[in-house]
Amino acid sequence: MSIAKPLKKAVAAVILDLDDGILGDVLKALLLKYGKQWDGREAQKIVGKTPLEEAAIVVGDYELPCSIDEFVTQITPLLYDQFCNIKALPGANRLIKHLSGHNVPLALASNSPRAYIESKISYQQGWKESFSVIIAGDEVRAGKPSPEIFLEAAKRLHIEPSSCLVIEDSLPGVTGGKAAGMEVVAVPSIPKQTHLYIAADEVISSLLDLQPELWGLPPFDDWIDGTLPLEIWHIGGPVVKGFGRGSKVLGIPTANLSTKAYSALLSEHPSGVYFGWAGLSTRGVYKMVMNIGWNPYFNNTEKSIEPWLLHEFDGDFYGEELRLVIVGYIRPEANFTSLESLIAKIHEDRRIAERALDTPLYLKYKDDPYLKGSSL
């Protein structure tokens, strides 16, 4: 049993801005028309900005032969076309449902224009009814990093700013929330940028890792024996050679999958330790625990998928078709001070997964047809 963490500060309301992640795809398509290629590394420059600020950055950086207003005119209908495809950030629906279900006052504060916000949330079931206040960038004189939008949200909620918790994914949002005198939890939207969010009171890798009780809010009650049940998802492909350190360095033989076909899926699921069932086309179905992420101890340059099949195999099975059904989440990815502590944690993850997969809640997915080679 883990030791309860001390209360950080009791808050009375939560102000959210949860980025949607479609802007990069739309920019990529639009820039192609100008013969330019969108570089995802530039996303840090535009995240959290207003549409005009975003347009000014893109037009300037890519030396586009159009005005900022013309660029906004071109990109706006493309964005509206994609709003219906927006997927909520992992854990967002769970968090909103939890807080509204416990009558915690909720506000949505975004630099996006009101029309954008209304369109976006119309596709997210239950969101509009859950927010007591929705405030947009075109309803204040200055957007983030100005504190104005947060102060206005608190005013409309009738809550003191110092009693508000802001949950933000952008640096302008973190800066604005702190300038408003609020507590701020950062969920960085750009990978490997945690070090930039030092102004936040807490930095977490995803909303799955938020602990409301640290802020005096009702705790989640959906964790079961150290695991969080998820809406299941599938991934599969031939087993490929990984970094060569699973067996050699860690003593843990991982069955790596190529990430090339799964860039969208990898960006959709936060880094962390997951578990579920693994099917090998010629051998059977086995328990599995896996890491998705950057492996901070080894400082990977790319996000990887490293499943560990919890079974003693006689030899390698490179090239064999591996199919995974992911059923639950254990913890966020973490760094470690020593190889020994990393190995100990991996074995603890294994024990948690093995025990959980024996329970009816997760055991039923062992019969998922996908594991046996059926298509989805």
Side-chain angles (χ1 to χ4, degrees), residues 209-244:
D209 305 316
L210 183 71
Q211 295 176 271
E213 63 272 22
L214 299 185
W215 305 99
L217 298 170
F220 286 115
D221 58 6
D222 49 359
W223 282 85
I224 299 167
D225 293 332
T227 70
L228 177 63
L230 297 177
E231 185 177 331
I232 69 163
W233 46 285
H234 304 83
I235 187 169
V239 177
V240 299
K241 282 189 180 289
F243 298 98

Side-chain angles (χ1 to χ4, degrees), residues 237-249 252-258 279-283 305-307 309 313-323:
V239 177
V240 299
K241 282 189 180 289
F243 298 98
R245 57 181 179 231
S247 298
K248 294 188 183 103
V249 179
I252 295 158
T254 53
N256 296 277
L257 290 173
S258 170
L280 278 169
S281 50
T282 61
R283 298 167 190 259
I305 308 167
E306 299 181 64
L309 277 56
F313 292 96
D314 293 336
D316 295 327
F317 38 84
Y318 295 125
E320 282 196 40
E321 182 75 13
L322 175 64
R323 292 180 168 229

Side-chain angles (χ1 to χ4, degrees), residues 81-321:
D81 285 346
Q82 290 301 314
F83 286 158
C84 61
N85 295 323
I86 290 173
K87 288 187 176 178
L89 289 180
N93 281 318
R94 168 182 177 247
L95 175 64
I96 291 167
K97 187 177 178 182
H98 173 74
L99 294 176
S100 61
H102 285 88
N103 299 312
V104 176
L106 266 178
L108 178 62
S110 170
N111 267 354
S112 294
R114 182 82 187 194
Y116 279 26
I117 297 171
E118 294 282 358
S119 181
K120 286 178 189 177
I121 67 172
S122 69
Y123 296 103
Q124 304 295 336
Q125 192 174 358
W127 281 31
K128 192 167 187 178
E129 302 77 15
S130 298
F131 290 104
S132 313
V133 167
I134 295 173
I135 182 164
D138 56 357
E139 296 172 335
V140 291
R141 286 165 300 178
K144 307 166 191 177
S146 163
E148 185 186 353
I149 198 167
F150 294 111
L151 293 172
E152 182 62 26
K155 183 180 172 184
R156 295 188 194 180
L157 286 169
H158 308 292
I159 304 281
E160 283 295 316
S162 60
S163 294
C164 293
L165 175 67
V166 170
I167 302 177
E168 263 285 352
D169 66 335
S170 74
L171 281 173
V174 170
T175 303
K178 289 311 297 177
M182 300 178 177
E183 301 299 302
V184 177
V185 172
V187 192
S189 56
I190 308 292
K192 304 186 94 170
Q193 297 292 328
T194 303
H195 60 285
L196 298 176
Y197 289 74
I198 52 173
D201 299 285
E202 183 183 19
V203 181
I204 55 178
S205 59
S206 83
L207 292 172
L208 298 177
D209 305 316
L210 183 71
Q211 295 176 271
E213 63 272 22
L214 299 185
W215 305 99
L217 298 170
F220 286 115
D221 58 6
D222 49 359
W223 282 85
I224 299 167
D225 293 332
T227 70
L228 177 63
L230 297 177
E231 185 177 331
I232 69 163
W233 46 285
H234 304 83
I235 187 169
V239 177
V240 299
K241 282 189 180 289
F243 298 98
R245 57 181 179 231
S247 298
K248 294 188 183 103
V249 179
L250 300 172
I252 295 158
T254 53
N256 296 277
L257 290 173
S258 170
T259 56
K260 286 177 185 171
Y262 292 105
S263 57
L265 186 140
L266 278 173
S267 62
E268 188 182 315
H269 293 284
S271 298
V273 177
Y274 299 81
F275 67 99
W277 296 99
L280 278 169
S281 50
T282 61
R283 298 167 190 259
V285 176
Y286 307 95
K287 293 177 178 178
M288 173 276 300
V289 62
M290 76 176 188
N291 187 80
I292 285 185
W294 307 87
N295 245 313
Y297 183 81
F298 295 106
N299 197 24
N300 288 3
T301 55
E302 62 179 46
K303 206 172 180 182
S304 63
I305 308 167
E306 299 181 64
W308 178 20
L309 277 56
L310 305 180
H311 180 80
E312 294 288 334
F313 292 96
D314 293 336
D316 295 327
F317 38 84
Y318 295 125
E320 282 196 40
E321 182 75 13

